[in-house]
Amino acid sequence: MLKAFFKDARHYQVLFLGTFLLYGTFILRWDTHWDHYIAIFAVALLTQLAGIRFLRLPAHSWKSAMITTLGLCLLLKANHWGICALAAFLAIASKFFIRINGKHVFNPGNFGIVATILLTGQAWISPGQWGSGAILLFLVGVLGSAVVHKVSRLDTSFVFLGTLMALQAARNLLYQGWPFDYWLQQFTNGSLLLFTFFMITDPVTTPNHKRGRIIWSILIALISFYLSNYHFINGAPIWVLFFIAPLTPLFDKIFKAARFEWIKTTVMKTSN
Amino acid sequence: MIALMLAAWVQGEAFCGFYVAKADTKIYNQASQVILVRDDNQTVITMSNDFKGDVKDFAMVVPVPVVLKEKDIKVVERQVFDKLDAYSAPRLVEYYDNNPCNQYRYEMLAKAAPSAAMGSGSAVMDEERSKKDYGVTIEAKYTVGEYDIIILGAAQSNGLQRWLTDNGYKIPPNAEEVLNPYIRNNLKFFVVKVNLDKLDGGDYQTLRPIQIKFNSPRFGLPIRLGMANANGDQDLIIYAFTRRGRVECTNYRTVKMNSGVKVPEFIQEDFSPFYADAYKKAWRREGQEAIFLEYAWDVSSTNYVKCDPCVSNPPDYKDLEDAGVWWVNGGNRQYPGSADFNGNVFFTRLHVRYNRAHYAQDLAFQVTPNNEQYQVRYVITHPATGSFTCSEGRRYVREVAARREEELQNMNRLTGWSIYRHIDYLDDWNRRNGNSNNRIKRGSVGDTGNNGGIFILGFLVLQGIALFITLRKKG
């Protein structure tokens, strides 16, 4: 029974993201608003259920909605539960309505966060909420890679993080001469690691071909580096992913490969 | 205005709560204070430092993103800091129980917040010396108030260090390695020295805060230079004004300081040491790397309740003007109790205690739309007086005895202060309760601490189980 449970990589993801949420709430003492979490959870699941009912999506796609729910709870802050509910709706609905070549364009969590910030101005992300516990880096990294390994998108994570680390090292350590811990602190940021291991690894919204994915990851890292170092944009990767996502179909056109499916042998229409 | 606020307070709670003590910045050994005003890309920073010593030795070097113009540099009176400190300091409030056997009978007490105003100075420029060999460019040179100000651009940190030393600035010997990253980051250096002629014989107490204004997407505070002195932990209190909402740190955690906790009555006499110890304990619990939110409030003219309860007067138009809040307009006294200005202003007070070991980066901030109000407030409750012979009275005595025990435990949890040293706090009420035993239940005493270690351990175990199952499946 347990074996069956772990067969679907999304089960891992839900467990891990859930653990992070507990860690943030009870150990890091985030300013937790349970009504916000409940709103995200309820609206995301209801929207997904509507998709299952009316768009004939497979019933197991609610698991993807759970992943989106947890991602939103972990990253998005707002003044009112209604804004959280809007974010959850936009996130899930984007999967149904913004599609190219039968594949949705945006990572739903990413779309929900950015669209809500842009539309309402009443939501924000808190990149500083994680602290710099190196243990967290280790755990998130290792656990995250276990997850992506199962859905074979590990390349995206490592290429993105590696590129960003190299660029920052060149700038902070070699050029500016900051001490090592200055550089390291940037990569002990939980938001960045969640982004790296849980958002850009979304197999449905990343390019299908491996070479395409590598170029795509480098591109995200380059632009993020530029925006955060020269324009002081907080949470730059999240913004970059939002604006680069529409290019994925182009990458798929150039680099042709088979599309990802959550559970082989069945035809899926969804992702997280 | 105060009457109106008290009315609002009474409405919200069953009993009056009054401010009785506050823990202002004077309780910390080394405390700098900064006012940050931010909207879009415009920033105003007012710096009040804790320099104590011969004014000849006073030197301040602040990395700034642009060459400041003379009109963008001001000297302001120190009293704006005192006022903001008094307004937002962690506070102790008191409640009075009603005797359940009597009709309403409660006393009220309030103390005025002490305030201090400080003096002024005046100015001329000393001789500029050769700088060709140093790789240092003097971008601008001003005399503002009692300060001589030079804005330097530099190509090399050792040149800058030598230039500063040769020109009579007392710079810590290991400042060079800290200066270099700023030079490489194209920052300019805002260098300040006291002009002794303008100070007119005054001492360090007469040095006024300096205010600078600039336009840049960078929003942060350089703390690395201050750590070159390497003399332990330093406290920094930040008073931030924005148009939208709270200011939070983007590269360190911003955590709420604990608040709303019931503490024993005797804390009233020792509130400053109580808060100092509570802060120290919370700071250590968070691994010395969190920044604490001590106050967050919408102080706009449209918000009538500017504190709850007020420790001192909320900032008025003059204070905002002194602090450099440029977007407000004065002169609105249309409604009683409203502020005398127009415009949205959100106020945040943050408390940082930094040291080199835990603060590798300068502080970076962001303005968020978060307009949730917050204050650090501890509560003491004075029991009712008289006799409690009625049946409700007997229950009340039991409740007070239990409450006092809880208050002692809270005190211990927050500060680490010994319960047993204050055990007589329970005497009177335990006796009334017909119980002479002062033993507090074992196990209920002590600090729960941070459970992070246990959590992570549990996490690792779960992870191990998951991996085991996965591997077994593959095998």
Side-chain angles (χ1 to χ4, degrees):
Chain A
M1 191 189 143
L2 274 173
K3 276 187 188 179
F5 178 76
F6 284 113
K7 202 164 190 171
D8 189 338
R10 289 173 297 182
H11 294 158
Y12 276 109
Q13 297 196 3
V14 170
L15 272 183
F16 291 153
L17 293 174
T19 316
F20 295 142
L21 193 58
L22 291 177
Y23 180 74
T25 308
F26 294 109
I27 306 298
L28 297 178
R29 291 162 216 253
W30 288 347
D31 211 353
T32 305
H33 294 277
W34 292 104
D35 54 337
H36 293 192
Y37 291 171
I38 292 166
I40 292 172
F41 180 81
V43 172
L45 276 190
L46 284 175
T47 313
Q48 186 72 36
L49 287 179
I52 292 171
R53 174 88 176 74
F54 298 109
L55 301 174
R56 310 239 170 111
L57 298 178
H60 65 72
S61 64
W62 69 270
K63 293 171 193 167
S64 305
M66 272 303 292
I67 292 168
T68 306
T69 297
L70 289 165
L72 288 174
C73 290
L74 283 163
L75 294 170
L76 187 74
K77 313 276 161 198
N79 277 329
H80 191 265
W81 63 264
I83 289 163
C84 293
L86 175 73
F89 172 75
L90 290 173
I92 304 292
S94 77
K95 292 199 291 188
F96 307 149
F97 300 113
I98 310 174
R99 303 180 74 91
I100 298 175
N101 300 334
K103 192 171 152 178
H104 61 256
V105 176
F106 293 99
N107 170 280
N110 180 263
F111 183 85
I113 290 168
V114 176
T116 308
I117 292 176
L118 290 177
L119 286 175
T120 65
Q122 293 295 309
W124 67 98
I125 39 182
S126 293
Q129 71 179 355
W130 297 91
S132 63
I135 187 95
L136 195 69
L137 166 81
F138 171 74
L139 286 173
V140 178
V142 170
L143 306 184
S145 52
V147 169
V148 288
H149 193 66
K150 292 205 64 110
V151 291
S152 63
R153 288 294 195 262
L154 197 59
D155 46 4
T156 341
S157 295
F158 285 129
V159 169
F160 168 76
L161 201 59
T163 310
L164 200 60
M165 281 176 142
L167 288 168
Q168 288 292 2
R171 182 174 159 81
N172 299 143
L173 303 177
L174 299 179
Y175 178 68
Q176 293 180 332
W178 285 112
F180 183 75
D181 54 354
Y182 179 100
W183 172 81
L184 187 68
Q185 190 180 332
Q186 299 164 85
F187 299 98
T188 54
N189 178 329
S191 300
L192 177 71
L193 294 167
L194 274 178
F195 174 86
T196 306
F197 290 104
F198 292 92
M199 210 174 252
I200 55 166
T201 51
D202 173 5
V204 180
T205 54
T206 45
N208 293 329
H209 195 283
K210 185 165 181 160
R211 205 176 302 152
R213 276 203 303 278
I214 287 172
I215 297 173
W216 187 80
S217 309
I218 292 174
L219 202 59
I220 295 177
L222 278 172
I223 303 173
S224 300
F225 170 79
Y226 171 74
L227 289 179
S228 54
N229 285 281
Y230 298 94
H231 294 276
F232 307 96
I233 298 201
N234 291 313
I238 289 177
W239 293 90
V240 175
L241 180 63
F242 179 82
F243 289 104
I244 216 166
L247 294 182
T248 305
L250 194 71
F251 277 89
D252 282 342
K253 206 164 200 173
I254 300 167
F255 305 98
K256 290 199 168 36
R259 190 185 305 168
F260 177 83
E261 290 167 10
W262 275 113
I263 299 171
K264 307 273 173 179
T265 74
T266 40
V267 181
M268 290 311 125
K269 279 189 177 175
T270 181
S271 83
N272 64 345
Chain B
M1 187 155 82
I2 287 166
L4 194 87
M5 287 167 198
L6 285 182
W9 170 253
V10 173
Q11 231 174 23
E13 299 277 340
F15 307 107
C16 285
F18 288 93
Y19 146 72
V20 287
K22 69 179 167 59
D24 61 25
T25 55
K26 293 182 189 73
I27 64 178
Y28 310 111
N29 288 331
Q30 298 203 321
S32 312
Q33 299 182 69
V34 167
I35 304 174
L36 283 179
V37 183
R38 172 84 174 182
D39 193 49
D40 283 337
N41 280 340
Q42 182 99 323
T43 309
V44 177
I45 303 180
T46 314
M47 295 159 282
S48 168
N49 65 75
D50 56 344
F51 178 80
K52 292 181 185 73
D54 191 338
V55 286
K56 286 206 300 293
D57 296 338
F58 177 86
M60 188 166 80
V61 180
V62 183
V64 286
V66 292
V67 176
L68 300 165
K69 297 191 182 68
E70 189 166 8
K71 69 175 172 54
D72 294 329
I73 306 168
K74 266 167 67 178
V75 170
V76 301
E77 297 300 326
R78 194 178 286 267
Q79 70 194 67
V80 62
F81 281 92
D82 295 333
K83 190 158 176 192
L84 294 177
D85 183 20
Y87 166 66
S88 59
R91 71 243 12 230
L92 183 68
V93 298
E94 62 181 351
Y95 292 95
Y96 286 86
D97 284 351
N98 293 321
N99 187 323
C101 303
N102 290 352
Q103 277 299 326
Y104 281 115
R105 180 179 167 277
Y106 53 84
E107 301 155 42
M108 296 178 179
L109 174 73
K111 282 182 196 160
S115 71
M118 301 238 175
S120 59
S122 55
V124 195
M125 198 76 188
D126 60 346
E127 274 304 302
E128 178 198 331
R129 285 165 221 167
S130 156
K131 69 254 171 195
K132 281 275 185 281
D133 306 335
Y134 300 100
V136 169
T137 331
I138 298 184
E139 307 269 6
K141 220 170 153 178
Y142 314 112
T143 298
V144 181
E146 61 269 35
Y147 299 106
D148 285 337
I149 291 160
I150 295 176
I151 297 173
L152 294 175
Q156 281 173 340
S157 56
N158 58 353
L160 178 64
Q161 166 111 10
R162 274 192 298 125
W163 188 93
L164 290 167
T165 315
D166 293 353
N167 282 274
Y169 295 89
K170 294 247 164 150
I171 300 295
N174 53 344
E176 185 189 322
E177 58 173 33
V178 191
L179 290 172
N180 197 39
Y182 293 115
I183 296 172
R184 289 302 183 90
N185 223 348
N186 279 333
L187 290 170
K188 308 293 174 197
F189 294 90
F190 180 81
V191 180
V192 183
K193 181 155 90 164
V194 174
N195 184 317
L196 295 171
D197 297 335
K198 295 279 180 178
L199 194 65
D200 210 14
D203 65 2
Y204 68 85
Q205 294 189 346
T206 59
L207 292 177
R208 290 174 295 172
I210 304 175
Q211 184 174 85
I212 55 174
K213 183 176 185 175
F214 54 84
N215 202 305
S216 164
R218 290 171 201 263
F219 182 34
L221 281 176
I223 54 171
R224 292 295 306 264
L225 276 182
M227 286 190 272
N229 293 321
N231 43 3
D233 304 330
Q234 301 187 43
D235 281 274
L236 170 65
I237 308 284
I238 298 159
Y239 310 100
F241 291 99
T242 70
R243 214 194 285 254
R244 296 178 72 201
R246 279 190 201 172
V247 165
E248 68 174 30
C249 194
T250 57
N251 55 347
Y252 298 97
R253 289 168 58 209
T254 310
V255 179
K256 279 177 176 171
M257 187 60 195
N258 42 46
S259 175
V261 184
K262 286 186 175 167
V263 294
E265 278 181 280
F266 57 79
I267 295 296
Q268 186 172 340
E269 277 82 52
D270 285 326
F271 186 57
S272 287
F274 167 84
Y275 186 72
D277 285 350
Y279 185 87
K280 195 200 279 174
K281 196 148 187 270
W283 178 68
R284 287 191 176 151
R285 183 192 66 215
E286 303 298 345
Q288 307 190 6
E289 61 174 21
I291 288 171
F292 288 89
L293 177 76
E294 289 184 329
Y295 201 81
W297 215 272
D298 182 359
V299 293
S300 305
S301 50
T302 45
N303 186 19
Y304 288 153
V305 184
K306 295 211 170 46
C307 25
D308 187 11
C310 283
V311 177
S312 73
N313 288 334
D316 58 23
Y317 178 62
K318 164 114 192 3
D319 301 323
L320 295 179
E321 207 180 21
D322 287 348
V325 183
W326 66 87
W327 62 84
V328 292
N329 301 308
N332 172 22
R333 282 247 182 234
Q334 208 178 344
Y335 304 104
S338 70
D340 58 347
F341 57 86
N342 291 314
N344 282 335
V345 187
F346 196 92
F347 174 74
T348 315
R349 173 185 171 126
L350 298 168
H351 184 166
V352 192
R353 179 168 292 172
Y354 60 89
N355 53 43
R356 176 60 191 89
H358 296 90
Y359 287 78
Q361 297 190 349
D362 285 332
L363 304 174
F365 298 106
Q366 69 175 351
V367 178
T368 70
N370 186 353
N371 52 18
E372 199 182 348
Q373 301 183 335
Y374 186 72
Q375 60 176 333
V376 175
R377 195 169 72 99
Y378 300 93
V379 180
I380 54 175
T381 318
H382 301 292
T385 50
S387 67
F388 307 99
T389 44
C390 63
S391 66
E392 272 138 30
R394 283 192 293 278
R395 200 175 64 208
Y396 172 76
V397 171
R398 279 199 299 280
E399 282 167 8
V400 173
R403 182 178 74 202
R404 294 199 141 204
E405 198 176 311
E406 188 195 326
E407 288 169 355
L408 279 181
Q409 282 168 359
N410 288 342
M411 173 199 77
N412 172 266
R413 182 170 53 83
L414 294 175
T415 60
W417 290 5
S418 162
I419 288 181
Y420 297 103
R421 194 173 291 172
H422 297 281
I423 203 77
D424 52 351
Y425 181 62
L426 302 176
D427 279 351
D428 191 26
W429 288 87
N430 273 348
R431 209 175 304 119
R432 286 186 206 219
N433 201 12
N435 177 9
S436 58
N437 188 1
N438 265 340
R439 292 278 154 78
I440 292 184
K441 293 182 286 295
R442 284 272 168 197
S444 59
V445 182
D447 179 27
T448 50
N450 191 337
N451 300 318
I454 298 166
F455 188 92
I456 287 171
L457 197 70
F459 195 19
L460 281 172
V461 170
L462 277 178
Q463 183 55 25
I465 296 169
L467 274 175
F468 175 72
I469 292 166
T470 320
L471 291 175
R472 214 172 52 153
K473 187 179 66 187
K474 277 185 183 162

